[in-house]
């Protein structure tokens, strides 16, 4: 997947960063892969956004706490998974507003990308 996130500042030079996150880092959990401060070894982005990736199969499950005023956009890159009670397949997405948690489980070879965004955003 190629993902574009517009920066929250103007006039900065274009940048590019690439990093590999292994299966063990994503297996059964959400691994932070991009953030405004490069936390937990994630790539740095100029936006109030955190991006997570996870791999789920069988009984593996995880949840992400959602801070007030945040929007969650979960995209299924491959496989199948249940997100907050909704069965999703490859290419499907779930948008959450006003929910305290994103709950993921019941995966079938699922790879999920999760965006934690300010609720007033027009992305994605």
């Amino acid at each position: 997947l190629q993902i574009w996130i517009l920066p929250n500042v103007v006039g900065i030079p274009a940048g590019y960063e690439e990093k590999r996150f292994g299966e063990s880092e994503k297996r059964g959990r959400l691994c932070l892969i991009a953030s405004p401060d490069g936390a937990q070894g994630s790539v740095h982005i100029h936006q109030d956004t955190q991006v997570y990736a996870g791999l789920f199969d069988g009984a593996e499950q995880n949840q992400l706490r959602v801070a007030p005023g945040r929007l969650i956009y979960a995209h299924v890159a491959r496989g199948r998974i249940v997100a907050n009670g909704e069965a999703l397949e490859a290419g499907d997405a779930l948008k959450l507003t006003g929910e305290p948690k994103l709950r993921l489980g019941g995966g079938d070879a699922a790879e999920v990308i999760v965006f934690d965004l300010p609720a007033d955003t027009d992305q994605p």
Side-chain angles (χ1 to χ4, degrees):
L1 293 174
Q2 185 177 42
I3 300 163
W4 291 78
I5 297 174
L6 298 175
N8 58 2
V9 293
V10 295
I12 60 172
Y16 176 82
E17 194 173 347
E18 187 175 316
K19 184 171 183 179
R20 178 168 168 68
F21 294 88
E23 181 177 334
S24 63
E25 296 172 277
K26 300 180 286 184
R27 173 62 51 206
R29 67 186 197 95
L30 291 172
C31 174
L32 183 64
I33 62 171
S35 67
D37 59 0
Q40 301 171 25
S42 63
V43 298
H44 177 263
I45 55 175
H46 292 279
Q47 185 54 264
D48 180 18
T49 299
Q50 290 80 36
V51 183
Y52 298 87
L55 300 170
F56 297 90
D57 202 28
E60 295 171 335
Q61 55 185 334
N62 199 254
Q63 61 184 15
L64 178 68
R65 289 187 186 272
V66 182
R70 303 296 291 181
L71 164 79
I72 297 296
Y73 183 86
H75 175 83
V76 182
R78 65 182 167 99
R80 296 185 189 105
I81 196 160
V82 176
N84 284 41
E86 293 283 329
L88 304 173
E89 297 186 13
D92 290 345
L94 178 71
K95 191 177 191 179
L96 294 177
T97 56
E99 293 283 332
K101 293 179 189 172
L102 168 66
R103 296 177 309 281
L104 299 169
D108 180 10
E111 184 167 11
V112 181
I113 308 292
V114 176
F115 300 83
D116 178 340
L117 307 156
D120 60 355
T121 188
D122 57 1
Q123 295 180 43

